[in-house]
Coordinates of all heavy atoms in Angstrom, one line a residue:
Q18 N -10.3 -16.4 22.3 CA -11.5 -16.8 21.6 C -11.3 -18.1 20.8 O -12.1 -19.0 20.8 CB -12.1 -15.7 20.7 CG -13.4 -16.1 20.0 CD -13.9 -15.0 19.1 OE1 -13.4 -13.8 19.2 NE2 -14.8 -15.3 18.2
F19 N -10.2 -18.1 20.0 CA -9.9 -19.2 19.1 C -8.9 -20.2 19.6 O -8.6 -21.2 18.9 CB -9.5 -18.6 17.7 CG -10.5 -17.8 17.0 CD1 -10.5 -16.4 17.0 CD2 -11.6 -18.5 16.4 CE1 -11.5 -15.7 16.3 CE2 -12.6 -17.7 15.7 CZ -12.5 -16.4 15.7
Q20 N -8.5 -20.0 20.8 CA -7.6 -21.0 21.4 C -6.3 -21.3 20.5 O -6.0 -22.4 20.2 CB -8.3 -22.3 21.8 CG -9.3 -22.1 22.9 CD -8.6 -21.7 24.2 OE1 -7.9 -22.5 24.8 NE2 -8.9 -20.5 24.7
A21 N -5.7 -20.2 20.1 CA -4.5 -20.3 19.3 C -3.8 -18.9 19.5 O -4.2 -18.0 20.2 CB -4.8 -20.5 17.9
Q22 N -2.6 -18.8 18.9 CA -1.8 -17.6 19.0 C -2.1 -16.7 17.8 O -1.5 -17.0 16.7 CB -0.3 -17.9 19.1 CG 0.1 -19.0 20.1 CD -0.4 -18.6 21.5 OE1 0.0 -17.5 22.0 NE2 -1.2 -19.4 22.2
I23 N -2.9 -15.7 17.9 CA -3.4 -14.9 16.8 C -2.7 -13.6 16.8 O -2.8 -12.8 17.8 CB -4.9 -14.7 16.8 CG1 -5.7 -16.0 17.1 CG2 -5.4 -14.0 15.5 CD1 -5.7 -17.0 16.0
Y24 N -2.0 -13.3 15.7 CA -1.4 -12.0 15.5 C -2.0 -11.2 14.3 O -2.4 -11.9 13.3 CB 0.1 -12.2 15.1 CG 0.9 -12.7 16.3 CD1 1.0 -14.0 16.6 CD2 1.7 -11.8 17.1 CE1 1.8 -14.5 17.6 CE2 2.5 -12.3 18.1 CZ 2.5 -13.6 18.4 OH 3.3 -14.1 19.4
L25 N -2.1 -9.9 14.4 CA -2.7 -9.1 13.4 C -1.5 -8.2 12.8 O -0.9 -7.5 13.6 CB -3.8 -8.2 13.9 CG -5.0 -8.8 14.6 CD1 -5.9 -7.8 15.1 CD2 -5.7 -9.8 13.6
K26 N -1.3 -8.3 11.5 CA -0.3 -7.4 10.8 C -1.1 -6.1 10.5 O -2.0 -6.2 9.7 CB 0.2 -8.1 9.6 CG 1.3 -7.2 8.8 CD 2.5 -6.8 9.7 CE 3.5 -6.1 8.9 NZ 4.5 -5.4 9.7
R27 N -0.7 -5.0 11.1 CA -1.5 -3.8 11.2 C -1.3 -2.9 10.0 O -0.8 -1.8 10.1 CB -1.3 -3.1 12.5 CG -1.7 -3.9 13.7 CD -3.2 -4.0 13.9 NE -4.0 -2.8 13.7 CZ -4.3 -2.0 14.7 NH1 -3.8 -2.2 16.0 NH2 -4.9 -0.9 14.5
E28 N -1.6 -3.4 8.8 CA -1.5 -2.5 7.6 C -2.5 -1.4 7.6 O -2.3 -0.4 6.9 CB -1.7 -3.4 6.3 CG -0.5 -4.4 6.0 CD 0.8 -3.7 5.8 OE1 1.0 -3.0 4.8 OE2 1.7 -3.8 6.7
D29 N -3.5 -1.5 8.5 CA -4.5 -0.4 8.6 C -3.8 0.8 9.2 O -4.4 1.9 9.1 CB -5.6 -0.9 9.5 CG -5.2 -1.3 10.9 OD1 -4.3 -2.2 11.0 OD2 -5.8 -0.9 11.9
L30 N -2.7 0.7 9.8 CA -2.0 1.8 10.5 C -1.0 2.6 9.5 O -0.4 3.6 9.9 CB -1.2 1.4 11.7 CG -2.1 0.8 12.8 CD1 -1.3 0.4 14.0 CD2 -3.1 1.9 13.3
N31 N -0.9 2.1 8.3 CA -0.1 2.8 7.3 C -0.8 4.2 7.0 O -2.0 4.4 7.2 CB -0.1 2.1 5.9 CG 0.8 1.0 5.9 OD1 1.9 1.0 6.5 ND2 0.5 -0.1 5.2
H32 N 0.0 5.2 6.6 CA -0.5 6.4 6.1 C -1.5 6.1 5.0 O -1.2 5.3 4.1 CB 0.6 7.3 5.6 CG 0.1 8.6 5.0 ND1 -0.8 9.4 5.6 CD2 0.5 9.3 3.9 CE1 -1.0 10.5 4.9 NE2 -0.2 10.5 3.9
T33 N -2.7 6.7 5.0 CA -3.8 6.5 4.1 C -4.7 5.3 4.5 O -5.7 5.0 3.9 CB -3.4 6.3 2.6 OG1 -2.8 5.1 2.3 CG2 -2.5 7.5 2.1
G34 N -4.2 4.5 5.5 CA -5.1 3.5 6.0 C -5.2 2.1 5.4 O -6.1 1.3 5.7
A35 N -4.2 1.8 4.6 CA -4.2 0.4 4.0 C -2.8 0.1 3.4 O -2.0 1.0 3.3 CB -5.3 0.3 2.9
H36 N -2.7 -1.1 2.9 CA -1.4 -1.6 2.3 C -1.1 -0.9 1.0 O 0.0 -1.0 0.5 CB -1.4 -3.1 2.2 CG -2.4 -3.5 1.1 ND1 -3.8 -3.5 1.2 CD2 -2.2 -4.1 -0.1 CE1 -4.3 -3.9 0.1 NE2 -3.4 -4.3 -0.7
K37 N -2.1 -0.4 0.3 CA -2.0 0.1 -1.1 C -0.8 1.1 -1.2 O -0.3 1.3 -2.3 CB -3.3 0.7 -1.6 CG -4.4 -0.3 -1.7 CD -4.2 -1.3 -2.8 CE -5.4 -2.2 -3.0 NZ -5.2 -3.2 -4.1
I38 N -0.5 1.9 -0.2 CA 0.5 3.0 -0.3 C 1.9 2.4 -0.6 O 2.7 3.1 -1.2 CB 0.5 3.8 1.0 CG1 1.3 5.1 0.9 CG2 0.9 3.0 2.2 CD1 0.7 6.1 0.0
N39 N 2.1 1.1 -0.1 CA 3.4 0.5 -0.4 C 3.8 0.5 -1.9 O 4.9 0.9 -2.3 CB 3.5 -0.9 0.1 CG 3.1 -1.0 1.6 OD1 3.4 -0.2 2.4 ND2 2.4 -2.1 2.0
N40 N 2.8 0.1 -2.7 CA 2.9 0.0 -4.1 C 2.8 1.3 -4.8 O 3.6 1.6 -5.7 CB 1.8 -1.0 -4.7 CG 1.7 -0.9 -6.2 OD1 2.7 -1.2 -6.9 ND2 0.6 -0.6 -6.7
A41 N 2.0 2.2 -4.3 CA 1.8 3.5 -4.9 C 3.1 4.3 -4.9 O 3.5 4.9 -5.9 CB 0.6 4.3 -4.3
I42 N 3.7 4.4 -3.7 CA 5.0 5.1 -3.6 C 6.0 4.5 -4.5 O 6.7 5.3 -5.3 CB 5.5 5.0 -2.1 CG1 4.5 5.8 -1.2 CG2 6.9 5.5 -2.0 CD1 4.7 7.3 -1.1
G43 N 6.1 3.2 -4.5 CA 7.1 2.6 -5.4 C 6.9 2.9 -6.9 O 7.8 3.2 -7.6
Q44 N 5.6 2.8 -7.3 CA 5.4 3.0 -8.8 C 5.5 4.5 -9.2 O 5.9 4.8 -10.3 CB 4.0 2.5 -9.1 CG 4.0 1.0 -9.3 CD 2.9 0.5 -10.2 OE1 2.8 0.9 -11.3 NE2 2.1 -0.5 -9.7
V45 N 5.2 5.4 -8.3 CA 5.3 6.8 -8.6 C 6.8 7.2 -8.7 O 7.3 7.9 -9.6 CB 4.6 7.8 -7.6 CG1 5.0 9.2 -7.9 CG2 3.1 7.6 -7.7
L46 N 7.6 6.6 -7.8 CA 9.1 6.8 -7.9 C 9.6 6.2 -9.2 O 10.5 6.8 -9.9 CB 9.8 6.1 -6.7 CG 9.6 6.7 -5.4 CD1 10.3 5.9 -4.3 CD2 10.2 8.2 -5.3
L47 N 9.1 5.0 -9.6 CA 9.5 4.4 -10.9 C 9.1 5.3 -12.1 O 9.8 5.6 -13.0 CB 8.8 3.1 -11.0 CG 9.0 2.3 -12.4 CD1 10.5 2.0 -12.6 CD2 8.2 1.0 -12.4
A48 N 7.8 5.9 -12.0 CA 7.3 6.7 -13.1 C 8.2 8.0 -13.3 O 8.5 8.4 -14.4 CB 5.9 7.1 -12.8
K49 N 8.6 8.5 -12.2 CA 9.5 9.7 -12.3 C 10.8 9.4 -12.9 O 11.3 10.2 -13.7 CB 9.7 10.3 -10.9 CG 8.5 11.0 -10.2 CD 8.8 11.9 -9.1 CE 9.4 13.2 -9.6 NZ 9.2 14.3 -8.7
R50 N 11.3 8.3 -12.7 CA 12.6 7.9 -13.3 C 12.4 7.5 -14.8 O 13.4 7.4 -15.5 CB 13.2 6.7 -12.5 CG 13.9 7.2 -11.2 CD 14.1 6.1 -10.2 NE 14.9 6.5 -9.1 CZ 14.4 7.2 -8.0 NH1 13.1 7.5 -8.0 NH2 15.1 7.6 -7.0
L51 N 11.2 7.3 -15.2 CA 10.8 7.0 -16.6 C 10.4 8.4 -17.3 O 9.9 8.3 -18.4 CB 9.7 6.0 -16.7 CG 10.1 4.5 -16.4 CD1 8.9 3.7 -16.3 CD2 11.1 4.0 -17.4
N52 N 10.5 9.5 -16.5 CA 10.2 10.8 -17.0 C 8.7 11.0 -17.4 O 8.3 11.7 -18.3 CB 11.1 11.2 -18.2 CG 12.5 11.2 -17.9 OD1 12.9 11.8 -16.9 ND2 13.3 10.5 -18.7
K53 N 7.8 10.3 -16.6 CA 6.4 10.5 -16.8 C 5.9 11.7 -16.0 O 6.4 12.0 -14.9 CB 5.6 9.2 -16.4 CG 6.1 7.9 -17.0 CD 5.9 7.9 -18.5 CE 6.3 6.6 -19.1 NZ 6.2 6.6 -20.6
K54 N 4.9 12.4 -16.6 CA 4.4 13.6 -16.0 C 3.0 13.4 -15.4 O 2.5 14.2 -14.6 CB 4.3 14.8 -17.0 CG 5.6 15.0 -17.7 CD 6.7 15.5 -16.7 CE 8.0 15.8 -17.5 NZ 9.2 15.7 -16.6
R55 N 2.3 12.3 -15.8 CA 0.9 12.1 -15.4 C 0.7 10.7 -15.0 O 1.3 9.8 -15.6 CB 0.0 12.5 -16.6 CG -1.5 12.2 -16.3 CD -2.3 12.7 -17.5 NE -3.7 12.4 -17.4 CZ -4.4 11.5 -18.1 NH1 -3.7 10.8 -19.0 NH2 -5.7 11.3 -17.9
I56 N 0.0 10.5 -13.9 CA -0.4 9.2 -13.4 C -1.9 9.0 -13.5 O -2.7 9.8 -13.2 CB 0.0 9.1 -11.9 CG1 1.5 9.3 -11.7 CG2 -0.5 7.8 -11.3 CD1 2.4 8.2 -12.3
I57 N -2.2 7.8 -14.0 CA -3.6 7.3 -13.9 C -3.7 6.0 -13.1 O -2.7 5.3 -13.1 CB -4.2 7.1 -15.4 CG1 -3.4 6.1 -16.2 CG2 -4.3 8.5 -16.1 CD1 -4.0 5.8 -17.5
A58 N -4.8 5.8 -12.6 CA -5.0 4.5 -11.8 C -6.5 4.2 -11.7 O -7.3 5.1 -11.9 CB -4.4 4.7 -10.4
E59 N -6.7 2.9 -11.5 CA -8.1 2.5 -11.2 C -8.2 2.2 -9.7 O -7.2 2.0 -9.0 CB -8.4 1.2 -12.0 CG -8.0 -0.1 -11.3 CD -6.5 -0.3 -10.9 OE1 -5.7 0.2 -11.7 OE2 -6.2 -1.0 -9.9
T60 N -9.4 2.3 -9.2 CA -9.6 1.9 -7.8 C -11.0 1.4 -7.6 O -12.0 1.7 -8.3 CB -9.4 3.2 -6.9 OG1 -9.2 2.7 -5.5 CG2 -10.5 4.2 -7.0
G61 N -11.1 0.5 -6.6 CA -12.4 -0.2 -6.3 C -12.9 0.4 -4.9 O -13.8 1.2 -4.9
A62 N -12.3 0.0 -3.9 CA -12.6 0.5 -2.5 C -12.2 2.0 -2.3 O -12.6 2.6 -1.4 CB -12.0 -0.4 -1.4

C-alpha cells in the first residue's frame, strides 16, 4: 500500500495486550526489594 518496507513491532501480543507490562513487572520487582507492601498506580486507557 505504501510502497516501502513496513514492519510492525507487535507489543499488542504481550501478556495483557500492550507494552505497559514491561514497566509494571520491573517496578513491582523494584518495590519488593524496597520492602513495599502496597502498590498504587494511575491509568488512562
Side-chain angles (χ1 to χ4, degrees):
Q18 180 182 349
F19 293 105
Q20 291 296 295
Q22 310 302 304
I23 311 292
Y24 290 84
L25 303 178
K26 181 59 172 163
R27 297 292 308 274
E28 292 299 292
D29 59 308
L30 295 178
N31 282 323
H32 179 43
T33 73
H36 69 290
K37 295 291 188 182
I38 191 74
N39 305 324
N40 169 59
I42 293 279
Q44 284 206 50
V45 172
L46 290 176
L47 174 63
K49 289 198 75 155
R50 283 161 174 80
L51 291 169
N52 298 312
K53 306 297 182 183
K54 306 298 181 203
R55 176 173 176 252
I56 296 294
I57 59 175
E59 89 297 328
T60 195

